[in-house]
Structure formats: structure tokens, C-alpha cells
Amino acid sequence: MATATEANLRWFTAGDVDGFFGLFFSGFPDLLLIVGLAPVCGFPLGFVASRILPGAAISILAGNLFYAWQARRLAHRECRSNVTAIPFGINTPTIFAYVFLIMGPIYTRTHDANLAWHAGIFASMVSGIVQTVGASCTDWLRRSTPRAALLSPLAGLALAYLCLGFVFGVFQQAAIALLPMLVLLTLYGSHLKLPYRVPPGLFVIALGAVLVAVLRRLHIYTVPVPALPAVKLYLPHATNIFALFNQRSYWPYLAVIIPLAALDTLGSLMILESVKVAGDDYATKPSLLMNGLGTLTAACLGSPFPTTLYLGHAAHKANGARSGYSVLNGLVTLLLCTTGILPVVLRFVPLQVAAPVIIWFGLITVAQAMVEVPANQAIAVIIGLIPALSQWATGIADTVARKAGSSLLEVAPRMGDDLAMGGLIALGQGSLLTSMLWSAALAFIIQRRFVSAAAWLAAAAGLSAIGIIHAYTLSSNGVESRIGWWVAPEFTLAYAAGAVFLLVCAWYARARPAEYLERETFVITE
């Protein structure tokens, strides 16, 4: 039996063709995002092609090869020919987080694209370290944190930066992007299969490219195209990552980096659970370790964008994909990212055309946060969406002020009570941590686990005391973090008092008879 199985372990099967297209068009919009959002960080396309994409390609290739090898090893060990490799690629939420919460703001304040790039590499490096270390201790964090607190931060990020921003872009370029979005929502929402198993993402991007070509021919759609880099071989360059840790201006962004890295590691752990349910029981530690090492590889080679395990293993397995689809995805990504071809693609497929795929991913992330928690804890997820939306709205306000020749420093005091600009900014500072803290505390309160909720509020008090959350300073450059001791006392004292009140509630609940503790809170019935 073993000999027959080993003979059937081909590197490439018919199902790997379907698997490749499915995996490639899950990650291809991410690559377009890196190129399309480069101007936000001040990166010329030539810089992206020569210094960022090659490093990203090597990290993706390394991960895809490892997971393909891992699949073949498991197949040999269990004498099975139906083992499917774990899908792997660029982490979509971190693209938006790093661009809009780290690199973009730094470039806006300093107009130094190199400084912004180094900040992104620093973020990716720290993320890789957290993921690598977390490969051994993530399970404890998952057990001790409510699911609402794990899902809500990513859902808020997805709603603000994946859905809202790109939906507005679609409607601004409705001639080329609205029909592709409607088609994609139809295909994904109805699970309708296209002839010849054409991936919906490929079909929609092709439809958008045709619309762009036709409307350009009719002189209806005219958008200036930036100078494109030459199509040639671009090799990755090593970066001096150790020097970045001496740059103190990067450290306040740990409030963004560490929660994202922890959530990504937890998400990868959950994906491994779903892979196990699908029938492929991979070892947890090496699978998570490769995820962290992939991110570290990207940072060392100049890419500020972490890697991650992808959803979709069960679908690839059902389509007959094995290990070859993973290898092929890594090789094609390498070709696109090291030859300068990818920036040229945006000439024919503008970012708004690929936006529907990104919007769908955001919608799925928000929906998952709502449905994968107990019904009465949905309110804990909802409150966790608000901090990310606040940070997104602060960015919009800052952009509007700058375009009007002013700044938030001048505009915010004029708002008064018409728009609580101070509250908007404070809630957005450290939004991912704030989201996790509020969601966890409310989830435990709903469960009447008051001591656990008090611990989360105590953590919020400590973080606000040193400026990780809520503390900020307005300058002519915009919103700046304010790290120090006792920099946001009003928040620190309020959180501490809230923690004390929860401890009193815990004592009261134990002291009173059960009949006085009937639930009267708002509960959603299933």
C-alpha cells in the first residue's frame, strides 16, 4: 500500500491547476495593493519594483515551497495521495494597517519616503519575531481571550480600510469598477460556478480590464499613468534591520504592530484547526514557525509586509489540489515580482478594478466576527469596531484639512461640540489594542465574569498611563503619539475606577442569592 501511494505522489495533478488559480487570485489583489498604495507612502513605482516586491516574492516562494514539502512529507508518512498543502501569501489586513497607520502617517509628517519604508520594515521585523515566538505560546492566549476580542480588531480594520475606502473608490470610478463589483458579489454570494472552473476573481479582473480598454478607446476613461519601471530582472537586497531598532520614533507604533502580529498568529492557529478538520493533521509548531520566518525573511530583504496562512484549504482540497499548486503559485509570484511586470499590470487593471475582491474579503472578515461568537456577545464585537472607524475618520479629517491648506492643529479647536474631534482622535490612538480591550471586557461582563473583565480594564488603565492608547499630541504635522508616564490621566483613572467597580460587582454577585441575579440585559435570540 505504501509503495503504491508513493508512486501516486506526483508533484502536479489536474486539481493543482484549479488550486493554483484559486490561490493566485486570492493573493494577486494583495500584490496590486502594494503597488497601488505606494504613493500613500511616497514610494515611486521603480522603488517598489526594485526594493519591495523582490523581497515579498522570496518570502512567498519560501513559504509555498515549505508547505508543499510539508504536504508531501505528511502524504508519505500516512501513505495518502490526497494531502493538500496549506495556502500561504501576503497578509491583507497588515497591508492596510502598515500603509495607513504607520508608513503613510510618517510620510505625511516628514515627506521622507525612506523613513516610512524603514518604519514598515521595522514593523514587519517585530511582527515576525512575535509570530515566531508565538508559535510556542499562542494556544494560551487563545484560551484566555474571548473570541469577540480576537475577531473584532481585524473586523474593524477590514470595515474601515478594506470596505469603506474601496467602496468609495468604486463609486468614484463607477464606469470601470461598479459592474465588476456587482458581478463579483453575485458570483461569490451565490457560489455560482463559472464554466471551465474559471475563478471569479480572474473573471472580474478580466472584465474590468476590458472595460478600461474600451472606455479608453472611446476617450471616456482617462487617468494619467505614472512612470513605469523598466521590465527587467530585479534581485532582492538585504537591509540593515538591526539599525532600525535604534530609531525611537518607530516604537510608538508597537501599539499597532504587536496586536496585529498576535491576532495573525491566532488566526493562523485557527486556520490550522480547520485544516485538521478537513483531514490534513499538520504539526502546529513548524507550521506557525514558517509563518513567522516568512515574515522575517520579507523584512530582511526589504519588504514591509508580513506573510500569513490563507483560508481556503478545504476548497482547494475539494478541487483536487495537492502540493503542486503551492509550488506553482510561489514560482509565478516570483516571476511577477522580480521582473517589473506587476506595476505594468496596473496600467491595464487599475486598483479600482481589483477593489471588489478586496471589498469581499473585508465583508467576509466582518461577517465572520459577527457569526462566530455567541449571539449575546455580538454587541462586544460591535463596540470593538468603533476604534478602527475612529482612526479611519481621523485620517480622513487630517487629509481634508491638509488639502484645504490647513491642519488638524488649526481645525480641531474650531469644531467644538459639533464634532468631538478630541474624542475621535483619542479613541483612534492605539485602535487595535483599544478594540481588543473593550471587546474582551464587555464579553466577560456579559458572561458575568467580572474579575476577568476587571483585569482587562486594569490593562487598559496601564496602557493609557504610558500613552500606548488614547494619548496624542496635535502639531502642524498632524496627530503624533505621546509616549511617557501619566500622559492620559483622565483615561487611566476612569479605567482604574471601572476595574474597581467590576470587582465590587463580582463581590455583589457572590454575596446575593441567585434569584436576584436574573439576567435583564439585552440578549439577541437565535
Side-chain angles (χ1 to χ4, degrees), residues 9 53 104 394 417 419 493:
L9 285 180
L53 290 178
T394 299
D417 293 332
L419 177 61
L493 293 173

Side-chain angles (χ1 to χ4, degrees), residues 153-154 253-265 430 432-433 436:
L154 285 180
Y253 294 100
L254 291 177
V256 175
I257 301 165
I258 292 179
L260 263 181
L263 290 169
D264 177 55
T265 309
L432 295 178
L433 273 177
M436 182 178 287

Side-chain angles (χ1 to χ4, degrees), residues 269-438:
L269 185 63
M270 293 177 187
I271 289 172
L272 281 177
E273 290 294 324
S274 69
V275 168
K276 182 177 180 179
V277 170
D280 295 336
D281 190 3
Y282 292 107
T284 299
K285 188 172 181 178
S287 298
L288 293 180
L289 191 61
M290 183 62 224
N291 188 24
L293 292 176
T295 297
L296 289 173
T297 300
C300 290
L301 296 178
S303 171
F305 302 109
T307 53
T308 189
L309 305 186
Y310 275 5
L311 293 169
H313 170 272
H316 297 316
K317 190 177 186 69
N319 288 333
R322 299 301 174 242
S323 56
Y325 87 106
S326 185
V327 175
L328 186 57
N329 179 69
L331 292 174
V332 172
T333 301
L334 181 70
L335 176 66
L336 287 175
C337 292
T338 57
T339 56
I341 294 176
L342 201 58
V344 178
V345 172
L346 281 180
R347 181 182 182 92
F348 306 98
V349 184
L351 193 56
Q352 291 86 354
V353 169
V357 180
I358 300 160
I359 293 168
W360 179 262
F361 178 85
L363 293 173
I364 289 295
T365 303
V366 177
Q368 181 188 40
M370 295 296 182
V371 302
E372 292 196 6
V373 299
N376 64 344
Q377 291 184 29
I379 193 171
V381 173
I382 294 170
I383 198 171
L385 302 178
I386 299 174
L389 291 172
S390 299
Q391 191 163 32
W392 177 77
T394 299
I396 296 294
D398 184 53
T399 301
V400 171
R402 290 179 184 279
K403 294 295 183 181
S406 183
S407 68
L408 280 182
L409 179 63
E410 298 177 10
V411 171
R414 304 176 194 168
M415 296 295 182
D417 293 332
D418 295 332
L419 177 61
M421 201 68 214
L424 192 70
I425 298 171
L427 186 56
Q429 288 298 102
S431 62
L432 295 178
L433 273 177
T434 303
S435 172
M436 182 178 287
L437 293 164
W438 277 81

Side-chain angles (χ1 to χ4, degrees), residues 406-489:
S406 183
S407 68
L408 280 182
L409 179 63
E410 298 177 10
V411 171
R414 304 176 194 168
M415 296 295 182
D417 293 332
D418 295 332
L419 177 61
M421 201 68 214
L424 192 70
I425 298 171
L427 186 56
Q429 288 298 102
S431 62
L432 295 178
L433 273 177
T434 303
S435 172
M436 182 178 287
L437 293 164
W438 277 81
S439 294
L442 187 53
F444 279 131
I445 288 170
I446 291 169
Q447 299 172 57
R448 289 184 173 167
R449 296 172 59 183
F450 297 114
V451 174
S452 296
W456 282 91
L457 286 192
L463 291 170
S464 61
I466 59 176
I468 299 297
I469 60 175
H470 302 320
Y472 69 93
T473 299
L474 278 181
S475 72
S476 57
N477 292 324
V479 181
E480 297 181 356
S481 299
R482 189 182 174 194
I483 302 297
W485 173 246
W486 209 247
V487 289

